Amino acid sequence: MEHKTNRYWKNVLISVPVVGAGLATITYLLRLYCRRMKAVGLHLEDYLMGAGLIISYCVTAFVVDTAFNGIGLPIASLPKYQRRRIQFDSWMIQKFWAPSMAFVKISIVVFIKRLFGSIRAYVVISNCLVGFIAIWAFASLMVNIFQCIPVQYYYDKKLKGHCMAAQVQFFQTMGSIALIEDVIILCLPIPAFWRLQMNNRQKISLMLVFSLGGVVCIFSLMRLIEFRNFHITDLAASSAKESIWTCLEVNVATICGCLPFFNPLVQGVRRKVRRGDSRYNPQPSTGSNLQLHTRGNKDNCRELDSDSGASANSNSRNAIATASRQSPDVENNRQDVDGQSDTWLDSEDLANRVGRQ
């Protein structure tokens, strides 16, 4: 039974972190590719997101290492070297989780500040939020390092030392603050979106793209809930699920932070699809048919009297007047078809719209 349990958690703690890290890496590389397509160069938020991704590799590496050292089994059933290895991995995961999340979150906040920099309130809120996230990450890192004296006592109980009281409560507090930060970042751009002068289709598309950050909040909440079953004295049996939610939280945050930059890639795919449709479904030329029809019935056209001509002119004027009274939504939909407008706005285009209002 213990063998099956260890094999299950071993497979899970290898596949989930590796796949998550791979998807996050691909998403970030696509973000850089889109930046190159737009020829706008890299901004501060791009470098911050890259730093967060690199640090998250350390989280993934130590979680995977626990999979090879008996994770999921009671610690009493493991050899001494595996006990120490799991405890050391748990100690190192804590060191890299907060800095990685801080870089990713600050990258998103800097991006939001760039979009809505013309709004004074957003500049102030963004600066305060960046400072708070930095302080939170630094405090979390320092307390994690020195939660035991000496610091090696966390993973080496042969030493003489002690750890602070309420370690699990500290982890829960840091996780709760992280969840609050995620919710604030998720809600931050919503008021500005509804103030933009664009049709509802574009607003909904923007909301959907940015609301994907809600998935990060879900994983952050699941990680926080899992700390109820987290026992410092038996990390091998109690830290498996928490490690999974930790990896998913970091990787999904990176993915969601990169999605708003995919407009050039989406536009390129749409243009190729339209070219393929026009190639396999050629439309007949209306002008050519009209010209042939006119040439073939030239004598009949000459026989039209003046009353028929006046009636045709009147119908033409009515059609023009009807077209001019079309609703803005219909006009916007026409522009979408022609490729002149897009529901997934580029970050630079969105910033320009905010700046004009």
Side-chain angles (χ1 to χ4, degrees), residues 9 30 58 70 151 158 163 166 182:
W9 285 115
L30 289 175
C58 300
V151 295
K158 293 181 180 180
C163 296
D182 294 337

mmCIF file of all heavy atoms in Angstrom, residues 9 30 58 70 151 158 163 166 182:
data_model
loop_
_atom_site.group_PDB
_atom_site.id
_atom_site.type_symbol
_atom_site.label_atom_id
_atom_site.label_comp_id
_atom_site.label_asym_id
_atom_site.label_seq_id
_atom_site.Cartn_x
_atom_site.Cartn_y
_atom_site.Cartn_z
ATOM 1 N N TRP A 9 2.177 9.672 -5.762
ATOM 2 C CA TRP A 9 2.656 11.034 -5.528
ATOM 3 C C TRP A 9 3.935 11.320 -6.305
ATOM 4 O O TRP A 9 4.171 12.468 -6.694
ATOM 5 C CB TRP A 9 2.886 11.255 -4.027
ATOM 6 C CG TRP A 9 1.618 11.414 -3.267
ATOM 7 C CD1 TRP A 9 1.110 10.597 -2.304
ATOM 8 C CD2 TRP A 9 0.663 12.465 -3.430
ATOM 9 N NE1 TRP A 9 -0.094 11.066 -1.857
ATOM 10 C CE2 TRP A 9 -0.389 12.218 -2.521
ATOM 11 C CE3 TRP A 9 0.593 13.595 -4.242
ATOM 12 C CZ2 TRP A 9 -1.500 13.057 -2.412
ATOM 13 C CZ3 TRP A 9 -0.509 14.427 -4.137
ATOM 14 C CH2 TRP A 9 -1.533 14.159 -3.229
ATOM 15 N N LEU A 30 6.533 33.069 -26.190
ATOM 16 C CA LEU A 30 5.576 33.643 -27.138
ATOM 17 C C LEU A 30 5.358 35.130 -26.859
ATOM 18 O O LEU A 30 5.166 35.922 -27.786
ATOM 19 C CB LEU A 30 4.251 32.894 -27.058
ATOM 20 C CG LEU A 30 4.240 31.468 -27.613
ATOM 21 C CD1 LEU A 30 2.899 30.802 -27.361
ATOM 22 C CD2 LEU A 30 4.564 31.478 -29.103
ATOM 23 N N CYS A 58 13.437 26.967 -9.723
ATOM 24 C CA CYS A 58 13.981 26.414 -8.482
ATOM 25 C C CYS A 58 12.879 25.757 -7.658
ATOM 26 O O CYS A 58 13.087 24.681 -7.064
ATOM 27 C CB CYS A 58 14.663 27.527 -7.679
ATOM 28 S SG CYS A 58 16.045 28.329 -8.537
ATOM 29 N N GLY A 70 10.523 9.705 -1.347
ATOM 30 C CA GLY A 70 9.495 9.120 -0.493
ATOM 31 C C GLY A 70 8.378 10.048 -0.085
ATOM 32 O O GLY A 70 7.747 9.834 0.957
ATOM 33 N N VAL A 151 19.770 28.072 11.393
ATOM 34 C CA VAL A 151 18.858 27.899 10.260
ATOM 35 C C VAL A 151 18.844 26.453 9.778
ATOM 36 O O VAL A 151 17.827 25.970 9.261
ATOM 37 C CB VAL A 151 19.238 28.850 9.112
ATOM 38 C CG1 VAL A 151 19.046 30.295 9.520
ATOM 39 C CG2 VAL A 151 20.680 28.617 8.659
ATOM 40 N N LYS A 158 19.636 16.828 14.150
ATOM 41 C CA LYS A 158 20.760 16.394 14.981
ATOM 42 C C LYS A 158 21.410 17.579 15.690
ATOM 43 O O LYS A 158 22.065 17.396 16.720
ATOM 44 C CB LYS A 158 21.795 15.677 14.118
ATOM 45 C CG LYS A 158 21.319 14.356 13.538
ATOM 46 C CD LYS A 158 22.424 13.709 12.718
ATOM 47 C CE LYS A 158 21.964 12.377 12.117
ATOM 48 N NZ LYS A 158 23.039 11.752 11.318
ATOM 49 N N CYS A 163 12.954 26.162 16.852
ATOM 50 C CA CYS A 163 12.209 26.886 15.814
ATOM 51 C C CYS A 163 11.151 27.755 16.481
ATOM 52 O O CYS A 163 10.742 27.495 17.623
ATOM 53 C CB CYS A 163 11.547 25.930 14.826
ATOM 54 S SG CYS A 163 12.718 24.942 13.857
ATOM 55 N N ALA A 166 4.314 28.547 16.232
ATOM 56 C CA ALA A 166 3.276 28.872 15.235
ATOM 57 C C ALA A 166 3.861 29.026 13.832
ATOM 58 O O ALA A 166 3.579 29.990 13.125
ATOM 59 C CB ALA A 166 2.527 30.133 15.641
ATOM 60 N N ASP A 182 -3.500 39.066 -4.911
ATOM 61 C CA ASP A 182 -4.025 38.562 -6.186
ATOM 62 C C ASP A 182 -5.393 39.157 -6.499
ATOM 63 O O ASP A 182 -5.672 39.527 -7.655
ATOM 64 C CB ASP A 182 -4.118 37.035 -6.138
ATOM 65 C CG ASP A 182 -2.758 36.368 -6.037
ATOM 66 O OD1 ASP A 182 -1.763 37.001 -6.438
ATOM 67 O OD2 ASP A 182 -2.686 35.226 -5.547
#
